[in-house]
Amino acid sequence: MGKIFVIMGKSATGKDTIYKHLMEQKDCALKKVVIYTTRPIRSGETEGTEYFFVNPDKLPDYEDSPKLIELRTYHTMLGLWHYFTMDDGQIDLSVQDYLMISTLAGYERLRAYYGESAVIPLYIETEDRERLMRSVAREERQQQPNYAEVCRRYLADETDFAEEEIKRLQIKKRYQNRDLERCLTEIWQDIEAFLEGGCPYGH
């Protein structure tokens, strides 16, 4: 039975960077999972790479599908943004292991859909000041920076990633992204342990 490793964490903890580096590991046998979103594509993003970008008018078609695994909605300064995962043939745990990025809510629904033993949390943490600085720097690179949205997302994280939720979902280990190379090494060692049939942090 394959595994789905789910990278999670507040905004600007380095999830995308960690994801990219893990997928580029020389011996990486993990396959990426691309989720769907109705938010506008950002500068530097590519359709089908970061996300499948969906016209909001088409969302009801996906919501009514029996293949919908999980759906999250965010009230942003630019309106409602939806992120969702579909059972669209990307995931086949009988033959493959996977790596994806999600939220606590997304992780919980993936676990309910595929089974607790198949879905492994990789929870990333970074100091709050560093996260805020990264968020502002990233927004500055957009054609039309929206700093109000940066603030909204930063504050929303306090609710979306509340300590009570982390404990309720029994996430037993957190990876501190102070030093990227050290963080990547620790994560990769645990992934390898899981793939070899071990359980490095009692999941």
Side-chain angles (χ1 to χ4, degrees), residues 146-165:
N146 186 336
Y147 298 107
E149 174 57 21
V150 170
C151 295
R152 184 211 64 80
R153 189 164 58 242
Y154 187 88
L155 294 173
D157 279 342
E158 297 305 307
T159 300
D160 295 341
F161 293 92
E163 285 295 317
E164 293 80 5
E165 283 298 286

Side-chain angles (χ1 to χ4, degrees), residues 38-56:
T38 60
R39 76 151 169 78
I41 190 169
R42 292 172 179 163
S43 176
E45 292 182 327
T46 304
E47 166 68 22
T49 300
E50 288 82 11
Y51 297 97
F52 292 118
F53 294 92
V54 174
N55 187 311

